Amino acid sequence: MSQNCQKHSCAVCPMRATTEWADLGTEELALLDQHKFDRDYRAGEVLFRQGERNNGVYCIHSGLVGLKRLDRDGNTVLVRMAHPGETVGYRSFLKQSDHILSAEVLVAGHVCRIERSIVSRLLATHPDLGLRFLRHSLEALADTEQRFVQSRTWPARARLLHTLLIFNERLGKPGQDGSSRLTLPVARRELAAIIGTTPEAISRLVRDLQNEGLAHFDGRAVEIPSVDELLNSLPVLE
Amino acid sequence: MSQNCQKHSCAVCPMRATTEWADLGTEELALLDQHKFDRDYRAGEVLFRQGERNNGVYCIHSGLVGLKRLDRDGNTVLVRMAHPGETVGYRSFLKQSDHILSAEVLVAGHVCRIERSIVSRLLATHPDLGLRFLRHSLEALADTEQRFVQSRTWPARARLLHTLLIFNERLGKPGQDGSSRLTLPVARRELAAIIGTTPEAISRLVRDLQNEGLAHFDGRAVEIPSVDELLNSLPVLE
DNA sequence: CGTCTGGTTGATCTAGATCAACAGGAGTGG
DNA sequence: CCACTCCTGTTGATCTAGATCAACCAGACG
């Protein structure tokens, strides 16, 4: 199991290749290892809260993190998800501002916090690190735009199917007949937040999909008889 | 009048201070001037279309540009607006991909296109130029997230008021009694696209605002008796 | 004149939110 | 062990913001 309370080492981290820190040398990695704080997080814990002072960036080793934005009325919207290998909180760091979003752990996992000062130092000495963050922010922008467009033009049902397929991409165990099984990483409430609707609506949609035979649900366990069929019932963006 | 068919010069461009090209030296500016294509655009013209090959970046001297995304069904969503001093199309350039959005001129103005190769050359020699683009993309991200959250949590009426205030910020002529007059830069159809609703809905909302005395409309001309009162009737994000 | 485009209004429809009730665990405490 | 509460998920009934459809009007322009 990858989750434990041991301090993880960046030098041997298998996720590193897909992170912004991929190209660092051994000395820099040692620096990271010395000055980082890492630990296991349980679902529901908060990495940082919107409006808080930025105290570094968080590199996700395992689990799943939701990035939420809330307004004064207490309305909270899940704007994006961050997966293992992603670093979050870099934005307010680069802007030298307070955190713009809140980061909440959706699925328990291990996360490393890298101290402000270290990131600054590395950024100053490694120009390509900045470039990596640029690339990341461009991807985040594209992703957010996509979610924005979908929330306007797709009905809730299509959005549910879409996220189902995304989760299946990451977590699904495909059968050889085009079917697939997976366990949803989140409860209904979070699923609703991701899709941008209410738990009640999710419930009804799930029932409908079940009746149509497109998917079978048992709690968080999902069985998809034909992934292709799900794909076909999507508006197909872009 | 700032719009004409003459070739504009970056060296003396008054907008340059607010663009990504602010810190360039005189030689670099001369390079830009030699290799750029600039001209007046009328409302409705398209700078580039989603899916097209990137052939450079566009620096907006005057006017207003809408960035739209469309899916297969022909649904089109205005994701962001770009104002004078902003450069658009840099994203697909940096990602070396085809254009992700379409850019359509909403308000006639002058726009300079800067050739791919030149941008590459400048980026390679001027690291702070990349940093500027990073900052710009971070702002675009924040803006898009804001619009995303608003489209979920605010009713159409609040969104209309919000964009009204934004336009007032840029174009309004304040009276000394807290009132303000402005001319909307766009027709109802575009206003609807910006807010994310239909022209019919805009029409009704406008009528309501009029009845409540919050604003008076005559075509594109708007008169706001009390800007403060408009501000107060907003949910106040963040 | 007719035709076209942009804006307004009215009537209708519907996706999805909201409100309310309830059922099944999972603890927790006596 | 039962009684209690707490929490998640499901279902039903109702409500409503806003989309859709359709008609109409006023200029603009050939």
Side-chain angles (χ1 to χ4, degrees):
Chain A
M1 197 55 182
S2 68
Q3 279 100 327
N4 61 59
C5 288
Q6 296 287 313
K7 185 158 174 146
H8 287 209
S9 163
C10 295
V12 300
C13 178
M15 297 307 305
R16 203 184 76 243
T18 64
T19 70
E20 273 85 1
W21 326 96
D23 293 337
L24 294 182
T26 44
E27 312 104 69
E28 287 88 349
L29 289 178
L31 189 70
L32 280 186
D33 276 336
Q34 280 166 34
H35 292 90
K36 81 183 183 194
F37 306 89
D38 65 316
R39 67 174 180 90
D40 286 343
Y41 285 82
R42 282 169 308 165
E45 283 195 89
V46 169
L47 299 183
F48 52 82
R49 241 177 262 277
Q50 176 176 336
E52 277 180 3
R53 188 161 167 286
N54 182 301
N55 63 349
V57 299
Y58 294 77
C59 186
I60 304 167
H61 174 267
S62 54
L64 183 67
V65 172
L67 295 164
K68 302 182 174 181
R69 163 136 201 168
L70 42 91
D71 61 10
R72 283 245 172 106
D73 308 358
N75 290 314
T76 161
V77 177
L78 195 150
V79 267
R80 217 167 328 112
M81 288 186 287
H83 298 269
E86 273 192 83
T87 295
V88 298
Y90 67 94
R91 193 142 62 105
S92 53
F93 175 83
L94 292 171
K95 286 181 73 177
Q96 318 246 44
S97 69
D98 293 336
H99 281 296
I100 299 132
L101 304 172
S102 299
E104 181 185 326
V105 174
L106 298 180
V107 175
H110 198 87
V111 179
C112 305
R113 174 162 77 82
I114 298 146
E115 185 56 56
R116 278 180 76 84
S117 54
I118 305 297
V119 185
S120 294
R121 211 197 295 181
L122 288 175
L123 267 179
T125 52
H126 292 71
D128 36 326
L129 188 60
L131 212 61
R132 291 256 181 188
F133 279 118
L134 171 57
R135 204 156 297 164
H136 191 174
S137 79
L138 290 177
E139 261 159 47
L141 182 51
D143 188 55
T144 306
E145 278 169 358
Q146 162 123 330
R147 286 176 60 81
F148 181 56
V149 172
Q150 283 184 3
S151 85
R152 286 239 93 97
T153 60
W154 291 17
R157 178 193 163 103
R159 269 142 50 207
L160 172 59
L161 289 177
H162 184 241
T163 49
L164 221 53
L165 285 167
I166 298 221
F167 281 137
N168 186 51
E169 198 78 19
R170 291 189 175 264
L171 310 167
K173 307 228 168 101
Q176 63 277 65
D177 51 351
S179 71
S180 187
R181 292 168 180 280
L182 71 151
T183 304
L184 293 177
V186 291
R188 293 286 187 271
R189 164 205 284 281
E190 287 303 334
L191 190 56
I194 290 166
I195 286 160
T197 183
T198 58
E200 295 96 314
I202 297 281
S203 210
R204 292 180 230 276
L205 289 171
V206 159
R207 169 164 42 83
D208 294 349
L209 292 182
Q210 195 121 305
N211 289 339
E212 298 170 36
L214 282 171
H216 183 265
F217 293 79
D218 180 18
R220 292 193 183 181
V222 186
E223 206 222 317
I224 304 170
S226 166
V227 177
D228 284 343
E229 206 163 333
L230 274 201
L231 273 169
N232 288 337
S233 54
L234 276 184
V236 189
L237 183 86
E238 188 177 17
Chain B
M1 196 57 181
S2 68
Q3 279 101 325
N4 62 61
C5 289
Q6 295 287 312
K7 184 156 173 146
H8 287 208
S9 162
C10 296
V12 300
C13 178
M15 298 306 306
R16 204 184 74 244
T18 63
T19 70
E20 274 85 1
W21 326 96
D23 293 336
L24 293 182
T26 43
E27 311 103 72
E28 286 88 348
L29 291 177
L31 189 70
L32 281 185
D33 275 335
Q34 279 166 36
H35 291 91
K36 81 184 182 194
F37 306 89
D38 66 316
R39 68 175 179 89
D40 288 342
Y41 285 83
R42 283 169 308 164
E45 283 195 89
V46 170
L47 299 182
F48 52 82
R49 241 178 263 275
Q50 177 176 335
E52 278 180 2
R53 187 163 168 284
N54 182 300
N55 63 350
V57 300
Y58 294 77
C59 185
I60 304 167
H61 174 266
S62 55
L64 182 67
V65 172
L67 295 164
K68 302 182 174 181
R69 164 136 200 168
L70 44 93
D71 61 11
R72 284 244 173 110
D73 309 359
N75 290 314
T76 160
V77 177
L78 194 150
V79 262
R80 216 165 332 110
M81 287 186 287
H83 298 269
E86 274 191 82
T87 295
V88 299
Y90 67 94
R91 192 141 64 103
S92 53
F93 175 83
L94 293 171
K95 286 181 72 177
Q96 317 245 45
S97 70
D98 292 337
H99 281 295
I100 299 133
L101 305 172
S102 299
E104 182 185 327
V105 175
L106 298 180
V107 175
H110 198 87
V111 178
C112 306
R113 175 162 77 82
I114 299 146
E115 186 57 55
R116 278 180 76 85
S117 54
I118 305 295
V119 186
S120 295
R121 210 196 296 181
L122 287 175
L123 267 178
T125 52
H126 293 72
D128 37 325
L129 189 60
L131 213 61
R132 293 255 180 189
F133 278 117
L134 171 57
R135 203 156 298 163
H136 191 173
S137 79
L138 290 177
E139 262 159 47
L141 183 49
D143 189 55
T144 306
E145 279 170 357
Q146 161 123 330
R147 286 175 58 81
F148 182 56
V149 172
Q150 283 183 3
S151 85
R152 286 241 91 98
T153 60
W154 292 15
R157 178 192 162 104
R159 269 143 49 208
L160 172 59
L161 289 177
H162 185 239
T163 48
L164 221 53
L165 285 167
I166 298 218
F167 281 137
N168 186 51
E169 198 79 19
R170 291 187 174 265
L171 310 167
K173 306 227 168 103
Q176 64 278 66
D177 52 349
S179 71
S180 188
R181 289 168 181 283
L182 71 151
T183 304
L184 293 177
V186 292
R188 293 287 186 273
R189 163 206 283 280
E190 288 303 333
L191 190 55
I194 290 167
I195 285 161
T197 182
T198 59
E200 294 98 314
I202 296 281
S203 210
R204 293 181 230 274
L205 289 170
V206 159
R207 169 164 43 81
D208 294 349
L209 292 181
Q210 195 122 305
N211 289 340
E212 298 170 36
L214 282 171
H216 183 265
F217 293 78
D218 180 18
R220 290 193 183 182
V222 187
E223 206 221 318
I224 305 171
S226 166
V227 176
D228 285 343
E229 205 163 332
L230 273 202
L231 271 170
N232 288 337
S233 54
L234 275 185
V236 188
L237 183 86
E238 187 177 14

